[in-house]
Amino acid sequence: MNTKVNWFFEKATQWKEEYSQLRRIALDCGLIEELKWGHPCYTYKGDNIVLIHGFKNYCALFFHKGALLKDSEKILVQQTENVQSARQMRFTNATEIGNQQATIKAYIYEAIEVEKAGLKVEMKGTKDFPMPEELAQKFERNAGFKTAFEALTPGRQRGYLLHFSKAKQSSTRVSRIEKSMSRIFEGKGWNER
């Protein structure tokens, strides 16, 4: 146990017992406990394997390369359609975790083997995300804006493409693009202030 992570478990209210069980299981698998992104993260030789996370209706064991696991029990969940690598194993109570302890450990051991083998998730590149017509038109009219967009990190570019594309109406896409221009010129992502 890493004492720097204790505060996470001590402050927990809703999932305290569940978190404790997941912590014990991860540590039983020989993983190193660290604090990353404000959550307990369990690593193998410095590589992220699983992270404990809580939500309103469930707590989860977040497998960083879950997309590469066999998922023989069909229990891993892709949080959203845009999540490429990670998968969640979700729980709603401590009994559920206790009953699935052997399965949880098997999945963790498989995730460790994925890391040992050096396997990587083939991620979609920015060019694989659809570009809204409204954005392409804006680029044609404003070369400086296109240059600023292309100077963004690939992750920021994808974030904007997803943000713009989710709007159902053209007028909303145009509005989102207009509102984002200053952040793009500053080199910031769509959700950065």
Side-chain angles (χ1 to χ4, degrees):
M1 286 188 191
N2 182 337
T3 56
K4 292 179 182 176
V5 182
N6 285 344
W7 72 269
F8 177 88
F9 297 99
E10 291 164 0
K11 79 171 179 78
T13 53
Q14 183 179 6
W15 303 109
K16 196 173 195 90
E17 185 179 351
E18 291 80 2
Y19 287 162
S20 178
Q21 285 182 289
L22 292 172
R23 181 186 206 187
R24 184 183 41 75
I25 291 168
L27 291 171
D28 284 351
C29 292
L31 297 175
I32 302 298
E33 185 175 62
E34 299 181 36
L35 186 67
K36 296 187 179 185
W37 308 284
H39 291 84
C41 184
Y42 299 87
T43 64
Y44 175 80
K45 293 188 177 182
D47 293 318
N48 301 328
I49 303 297
V50 293
L51 181 126
I52 295 174
H53 206 293
F55 299 87
K56 183 178 178 182
N57 297 320
Y58 61 89
C59 65
L61 199 56
F62 178 93
F63 288 81
H64 290 272
K65 292 185 180 176
L68 297 177
L69 301 181
K70 292 181 186 98
D71 194 16
S72 56
E73 301 293 320
K74 305 293 181 223
I75 55 177
L76 295 180
V77 177
Q78 184 177 0
Q79 190 172 4
T80 69
E81 66 185 53
N82 297 315
V83 173
Q84 296 182 58
S85 180
R87 298 293 183 269
Q88 296 177 341
M89 189 179 286
R90 296 178 176 178
F91 308 97
T92 56
N93 60 63
T95 302
E96 209 176 357
I97 294 169
N99 290 342
Q100 293 186 50
Q101 184 171 331
T103 301
I104 296 167
K105 283 185 175 183
Y107 274 63
I108 291 173
Y109 287 130
E110 183 183 352
I112 293 169
E113 291 304 314
V114 163
E115 280 305 323
K116 285 180 180 178
L119 300 179
K120 304 270 186 225
V121 175
E122 191 172 318
M123 304 291 257
K124 290 189 330 188
T126 304
K127 66 181 179 348
D128 299 321
F129 286 79
M131 179 178 296
E133 182 180 324
E134 296 82 0
L135 183 61
Q137 290 170 356
K138 183 63 94 174
F139 287 162
E140 287 175 17
R141 292 190 303 270
N142 187 335
F145 178 58
K146 181 178 182 185
T147 300
F149 185 85
E150 290 172 347
L152 294 171
T153 63
R156 287 182 174 128
Q157 289 179 24
R158 287 189 298 272
Y160 279 114
L161 291 173
L162 290 169
H163 177 62
F164 300 153
S165 296
K166 284 187 178 180
K168 293 180 177 137
Q169 295 182 1
S170 177
S171 60
T172 306
R173 286 189 292 276
V174 169
S175 174
R176 287 183 179 186
I177 292 166
E178 294 288 334
K179 288 178 183 176
S180 299
M181 286 182 72
S182 63
R183 283 195 305 279
I184 290 170
F185 278 112
E186 293 171 8
K188 295 181 178 178
W190 75 269
N191 58 351
E192 294 177 80
R193 298 290 165 209

